[in-house]
Amino acid sequence: MRAKLRIGALISGGGSNLQAIIDACEGGRVGGRMVFVGADTPGAKGLGRAKKHGIPTFVVDYGEVIRAFRRAPTPPSPADFDLQDVRAKQALFSDDRDPERDRHFFSSRAVAESRLLAAMAGFDFDLLVLAGFMRNLTPYFIDRVNTVPGEPRIMNIHPALLPAFPGVDGYGDTFRYGCKVGGCTVHFIDYGEDSGPIIGQKSFAITPRDTVDSVREKGLALEWQLYPECIQLFAEGRLKTVKLTYALPDRRTVQRSVVKIAV
Ligand code: GAR
């Protein structure tokens, strides 16, 4: 029998996706168990859900780290932080952005991320799931979790049919655009914002009777099915990330990392 997948989770809010994953593990629909839940704010309600199930929790207060960073003129960065390396790899901001803003963003996030990594080091885990974690992770963190080339192990759920509507309000953006179909996406994290290889998607119709709230409700109900399904595919070793090169009609070529699901 295959060993149970050890899953860690990061959250920022209510944790209904976290709950869906815990329930799927306990109900046998996911061959795994949740080994820790971390949050970026002490107020994250999902922490209570984890505690109810006896799952260890920790908090790295991003707000506090960022405020302290603003106050200190030369704030200490983690010893292994290399700003040039992180800036060269990141795909969150355009290259012509003010270098001082970049330095502030990536250095302060490295402080928070090094604390996350220190807290996570207390647990053995196979997969890290972002379940409503509302922070962009930087290459500093990603490279320290994804240590085997070609085998990503940080998943995210996003409330839109990516690559449409990345960012913080996927359902709102979908609704306001006038889309007739909405949906949710589970993908591996890469160095950009909601841009990594897609694992699974589910969609729903948006009718004239819908409001932004009903769109969110429909979407969340699908997220609770989709996330456990994708985690189970990972647990079964069926997700392979491959780099493909495509020829475009204008003869240029484009390279994408895509997830192939073994049948
Ligand atoms: C979910 O809709 C999730 O897709 C979204 O936050 C919500 C969290 O709900 N995530 C993002 O927007 C990530 N950029 P939950 O805390 O009840 O799981």
Side-chain angles (χ1 to χ4, degrees), residues 40-217:
D40 67 341
T41 161
K45 293 218 172 68
L47 289 169
R49 296 182 190 265
K51 285 178 188 148
K52 259 193 199 147
H53 290 263
I55 300 163
T57 62
F58 59 82
V59 175
V60 172
D61 191 338
Y62 266 61
E64 186 207 285
V65 169
I66 293 163
R67 280 192 299 277
F69 203 88
R70 279 203 197 107
R71 283 195 303 269
T74 50
S77 291
D80 59 350
F81 171 64
D82 177 346
L83 177 62
Q84 296 318 320
D85 177 64
V86 166
R87 279 194 78 201
K89 288 174 174 165
Q90 68 85 23
L92 295 168
F93 309 120
S94 65
D95 289 344
D96 57 3
R97 205 171 92 120
D98 174 12
E100 191 47 29
R101 280 185 75 188
D102 268 17
R103 188 192 67 80
H104 188 281
F105 180 86
F106 288 112
S107 311
S108 61
R109 293 317 182 273
V111 173
E113 290 177 350
S114 69
R115 292 188 191 171
L116 279 181
L117 291 163
M120 288 160 49
F123 307 95
D124 284 326
F125 66 96
D126 306 298
L127 174 69
L128 179 65
V129 296
L130 309 181
F133 186 65
M134 303 306 279
R135 304 282 177 179
N136 283 316
L137 293 168
T138 78
Y140 175 79
F141 180 91
I142 295 169
D143 287 355
R144 284 163 179 73
V145 176
N146 287 340
T147 48
V148 182
E151 293 186 22
R153 58 175 190 138
I154 311 174
M155 273 188 197
N156 181 42
I157 188 148
H158 183 74
L161 289 172
L162 291 172
F165 310 120
V168 295
D169 189 15
Y171 292 134
D173 291 341
T174 301
F175 179 77
R176 286 186 291 270
Y177 201 87
C179 293
K180 307 301 181 257
V181 174
C184 50
T185 303
V186 170
H187 63 98
F188 284 120
I189 289 290
D190 69 1
Y191 296 145
E193 183 174 27
D194 302 319
S195 54
I198 289 172
I199 300 164
Q201 296 184 301
K202 284 193 190 289
S203 63
F204 56 87
I206 300 176
T207 71
R209 287 181 207 286
D210 273 314
T211 62
V212 73
D213 288 335
S214 69
V215 163
R216 200 164 277 130
E217 256 172 55

